[in-house]
Amino acid sequence: MSWHPFAVAAALATSLTGAAAQAPPPSDPGVDVLQIDRERYQRMTVPVTIQGQGPFDFLIDTGAQATVLSRALADRLMLHDRDTATLVGMASTRTVETTPIEDFNLGSRSFYIRQAPVVEGENIGGADGILGLDSLQNQRVLLDFARREISVADAEQLGGNRGYEIVVRARERLGQLIITTARLDGVQVDVVVDTGAQGSVGNLALLNRLRRNKELASTEMTDINGITLGGVVRVGRQLQLGRANVQNFPILFADSRPFHSLGLASKPALILGMSELKLFRRVAIDFKTRRVLFDLPARVAFESRFGPLGT
C-alpha cells in the first residue's frame, strides 16, 4: 500500500514563536460563504484579498496558529517591512521572516495581522498563503462537504447546533481545539482536528500503545520549512468520536514537532486530517464555544437509530 501524500499545509506550520496576531471584530456581522473550487477541493482553498488586491488562494488550516504568506505574494504586494520569528513545522523549527499585513480580508471580514511568516510557495503546495487560527478565533468554521462550501461566522448565524448528530467538547491549547474524549482501537487519545493535513498523523506515544497493528509502509513528508520527516504507516481500526466511528484509515506515525508544542508528545495523540473529515457531511469547528460538531451522512444517520454507528 502506498501512502497518499499529505497536502503541504500548516498542519505543517503549527505555531509561531515570538509573534502574535491581532484580529479586530469583524466589519460585517453577516455569514461569509466561500465556494470551494472543485479542483482545489481536497486542499480547502478559499479566496482572500489583501490591500484591495486579489483574490488570492489561501489554504484554510485549523491546525496552524499563524496566517502565512508565500514569499512570491509578499514580494508582489511589496510587504518589505520584515522581522523574524521562529516557525514550528511538522518536522522542524526554523527562524523565518515575518511581515505585518494590513487590510487582510476574508469575505466581509477585515483583519490586521501583526506578524505573518513568509515562506517559500513550494512548501505550501503552490498556494498564495495559509489562513491560520489568528484569523479564525471566536468564529465557527463550517466545512460543508456536500455543498463544497466553507462558511465563517458566529455559530448562531450558521444555524446553531441544529442538524448535528454529534457535538463533542474540546479544550483549547495555543488557540487550537483538542478533543480529549476520543478513543482509537481502545486507547484514549487526544485529537486535533486539522483541515490543513490531508491525512492523519499519530505521535510515537500512540504508536507504542498500538504495537499490534500491522505496519503497512514507511514514508516521509515535507514540512512548511522544506524539511522532511520519516515515519511508518499503520491502519487505525476504529476511532470513536462521541457516537461516531471512523474505521480502517491510514495513520502516519512520526515524532512530529506540533505534538511537542502542544504538550502532547508524552501521551497518545492524533492529528485528524481531511481524508477522514470528508467522510462526514458537515464538520463545524466552533472556537468560541470550544466544540466540534459532526453531521453524519444521511445513510449513516438513519442506521444509527437501529444499530452501531459507523462512518
Side-chain angles (χ1 to χ4, degrees), residues 26-296:
S27 57
D28 187 329
V31 176
D32 300 323
V33 178
L34 307 169
Q35 294 289 332
I36 306 169
D37 288 354
R38 183 182 298 272
E39 64 271 18
R40 295 194 297 262
Y41 171 60
Q42 292 290 348
R43 297 196 306 160
M44 304 301 286
T45 310
V46 296
V48 305
T49 61
I50 299 174
Q51 299 174 351
Q53 299 187 53
F56 305 111
D57 294 329
F58 272 58
L59 297 165
I60 188 165
D61 190 346
T62 58
Q65 291 178 12
T67 293
V68 174
L69 287 183
S70 71
R71 185 173 301 279
L73 180 57
D75 291 343
R76 173 181 172 182
L77 297 174
M78 294 185 289
L79 299 175
H80 300 312
D81 182 12
R82 304 287 174 89
D83 202 343
T84 60
T86 301
L87 184 64
V88 179
M90 286 290 264
S92 62
T93 300
R94 291 289 185 272
T95 299
V96 298
E97 289 187 324
T98 66
T99 184
I101 308 176
E102 297 183 2
D103 195 24
F104 182 95
N105 294 278
L106 170 65
S108 62
R109 289 169 165 77
S110 181
F111 304 92
Y112 168 67
I113 308 296
R114 189 166 69 86
Q115 287 182 298
V118 178
V119 303
E120 300 301 326
E122 63 191 40
N123 293 338
I124 52 175
D128 294 313
I130 292 169
L131 192 67
L133 295 175
D134 51 358
S135 300
L136 301 174
Q137 289 303 304
N138 296 320
Q139 297 293 307
R140 172 175 288 189
V141 177
L142 171 58
L143 310 176
D144 192 325
F145 295 102
R147 296 183 178 181
R148 298 194 303 276
E149 293 178 349
I150 304 175
S151 302
V152 182
D154 181 84
E156 290 304 315
Q157 293 172 309
L158 291 175
N161 296 349
R162 294 188 299 275
Y164 294 94
E165 285 81 14
I166 300 164
V167 180
V168 182
R169 291 181 179 272
R171 64 180 176 88
E172 184 270 338
R173 172 68 174 169
L174 300 179
Q176 296 181 352
L177 297 185
I178 303 172
I179 298 172
T180 59
T181 57
R183 299 187 72 85
L184 177 66
D185 295 348
V187 176
Q188 185 169 342
V189 60
D190 287 348
V191 174
V192 179
V193 177
D194 189 346
T195 62
Q198 186 169 331
S200 295
V201 181
N203 67 359
L204 298 186
L206 178 58
L207 177 62
N208 290 336
R209 296 288 301 274
L210 300 173
R211 288 191 181 278
R212 294 182 180 180
N213 287 25
K214 183 179 179 181
E215 181 177 323
L216 296 178
S218 60
T219 189
E220 62 182 22
M221 57 183 169
T222 303
D223 75 0
I224 197 169
N225 295 315
I227 307 301
T228 58
L229 175 68
V232 299
V233 180
R234 298 192 179 186
V235 170
R237 300 301 181 189
Q238 180 172 272
L239 175 65
Q240 296 172 290
L241 295 165
R243 294 181 296 109
N245 296 330
V246 180
Q247 299 177 347
N248 298 323
F249 63 100
I251 303 171
L252 171 62
F253 289 94
D255 187 22
S256 184
R257 299 281 180 164
F259 294 118
H260 294 270
S261 298
L262 294 170
L264 299 176
S266 61
K267 61 181 181 178
L270 177 73
I271 294 172
L272 190 66
M274 287 296 298
S275 293
E276 287 64 61
L277 294 176
K278 71 179 183 180
L279 296 173
F280 297 91
R281 183 175 178 271
R282 295 183 301 164
V283 177
I285 305 165
D286 196 314
F287 293 99
K288 186 175 183 179
T289 63
R290 301 178 183 177
R291 287 176 170 83
V292 182
L293 304 91
F294 299 93
D295 185 5
L296 299 174

